[in-house]
């Protein structure tokens, strides 16, 4: 299990697959709890770190932030607090924060990667800054894979294609193609593309309201993951 894969839960959130994101995030959070930081590579069969350094990577903080935005479950604020606690207690130095050389003994290297400030700290800050414009107007912004915040111009979120353009294009489709009728073209190709044009105006469904203030993952399943580690 590589630490970079902790970002996958965030990708699942953006795709609307909240339940799978919750499960995947729980695994990485429990590995974090085991060591106080996240080893670069964890061996699931041996239940130990294969590559034992932690270079202050942001992926778990990123997924935690995105899951909180999607669910508003305070559990993810607790996760963020644990991450902050670990960073302050294990990695803080006189002039910055150091890469953890070995997660077992928390020895440090004289090195702080630039992504610690541009991503790790940024996601943790935004997690707790509920009134930040990036959070209150989230539909107007998008993050790059390196945590840069870009304003999304409305013209890039508006469907510019017309039915006439679609029809002109599909008039040239080869007669042997499986898409042969106007009805099929409309239902199989045009309608889904139109839906994509309006996707930016929709919102992902949050988790059930009854789980809003409890663990996002059922306690029995969370304990299974925790005990396995």
């Amino acid at each position: 299990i590589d630490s970079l894969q902790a970002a996958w839960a965030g990708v699942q959130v953006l795709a609307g697959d909240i339940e799978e994101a919750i499960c995947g995030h729980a695994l990485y959070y429990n590995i974090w709890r085991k060591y106080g930081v996240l080893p670069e590579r964890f061996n699931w069969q041996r239940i130990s770190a294969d590559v034992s350094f932690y270079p202050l990577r942001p992926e778990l903080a990123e997924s935690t932030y995105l899951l909180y935005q999607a669910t508003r479950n305070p559990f993810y604020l607790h996760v963020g607090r644990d991450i902050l606690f670990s960073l302050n207690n294990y990695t803080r130095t006189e002039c910055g924060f150091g890469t953890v050389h070995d997660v077992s003994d928390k020895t440090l290297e004289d090195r702080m990667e630039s992504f610690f400030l541009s991503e790790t700290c940024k996601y943790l800050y935004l997690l707790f800054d509920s009134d930040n414009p990036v959070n209150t107007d989230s539909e107007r912004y998008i993050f790059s894979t390196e945590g840069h915040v870009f304003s999304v111009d409305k013209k890039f979120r508006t469907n510019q294609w017309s039915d006439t353009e679609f029809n002109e294009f599909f008039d040239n489709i080869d007669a042997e193609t499986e898409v042969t009728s106007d009805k099929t073209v409309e239902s199989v190709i045009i309608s889904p593309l139109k839906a994509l044009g309006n996707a930016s105006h929709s919102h992902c469904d949050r988790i059930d309201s009854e789980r809003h203030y409890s663990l996002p993952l059922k306690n029995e399943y969370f304990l299974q993951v925790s005990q396995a580690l």
Side-chain angles (χ1 to χ4, degrees):
I1 301 174
D2 290 337
S3 63
L4 289 170
Q5 293 171 331
W8 181 244
V11 176
Q12 290 176 311
V13 169
L14 297 176
D17 197 355
I18 305 298
E19 295 295 341
E20 286 296 324
I22 288 171
C23 293
H25 178 274
L27 171 63
Y28 285 94
Y29 175 50
N30 274 283
I31 297 175
W32 182 285
R33 292 175 65 213
K34 180 178 177 69
Y35 294 103
V37 290
L38 201 61
E40 188 73 353
R41 183 171 299 157
F42 182 80
N43 189 311
W44 179 255
Q45 292 182 320
R46 297 192 303 175
I47 313 298
S48 62
D50 271 354
V51 181
S52 57
F53 67 88
Y54 168 64
L56 308 172
R57 291 201 184 278
E59 283 73 22
L60 182 61
E62 178 184 7
S63 292
T64 301
Y65 165 70
L66 291 172
L67 270 165
Y68 180 67
Q69 292 302 309
T71 67
R72 297 300 185 199
N73 192 304
F75 170 76
Y76 295 108
L77 297 178
H78 287 278
V79 175
R81 183 197 62 180
D82 285 350
I83 295 174
L84 284 171
F85 180 88
S86 295
L87 292 174
N88 274 311
N89 282 273
Y90 300 134
T91 73
R92 191 165 191 161
T93 67
E94 185 177 352
C95 57
F97 292 78
T99 289
V100 176
H101 180 70
D102 192 323
V103 298
S104 300
D105 57 21
K106 305 299 187 296
T107 52
L108 298 180
E109 299 178 9
D110 185 15
R111 177 166 63 103
M112 184 181 77
E113 301 287 354
S114 61
F115 55 66
F116 174 68
L117 295 177
S118 65
E119 297 183 70
T120 309
C121 291
K122 183 183 296 178
Y123 286 120
L124 290 171
Y125 180 86
L126 290 172
L127 174 64
F128 294 101
D129 188 21
S130 57
D131 294 329
N132 193 287
V134 173
N135 293 328
T136 57
D137 298 316
S138 58
E139 290 184 349
R140 298 178 59 187
Y141 300 96
I142 190 170
F143 289 94
S144 74
T145 55
E146 299 303 320
H148 301 296
V149 182
F150 293 100
S151 176
V152 181
D153 194 302
K154 185 178 180 180
K155 68 181 180 181
F156 296 120
R157 300 169 57 236
T158 305
N159 185 357
Q160 301 291 335
W161 294 326
S162 67
D163 289 343
T164 302
E165 290 172 321
F166 271 116
N167 293 333
E168 289 176 353
F169 175 79
F170 288 112
D171 282 343
N172 297 322
I173 292 180
D174 192 290
E176 296 180 359
T177 184
E178 293 181 4
V179 183
T180 56
S181 69
D182 292 340
K183 185 176 181 180
T184 304
V185 170
E186 174 67 29
S187 62
V188 175
I189 301 175
I190 297 180
S191 295
L193 286 174
K194 285 181 179 178
L196 283 176
N198 296 322
S200 59
H201 302 291
S202 64
H203 300 274
C204 294
D205 293 331
R206 294 179 179 174
I207 58 176
D208 298 337
S209 57
E210 64 189 48
R211 293 162 56 200
H212 190 82
Y213 292 109
S214 61
L215 281 173
L217 187 67
K218 286 186 177 180
N219 191 54
E220 58 184 296
Y221 300 137
F222 191 86
L223 286 176
Q224 285 179 9
V225 177
S226 180
Q227 291 168 358
L229 295 170

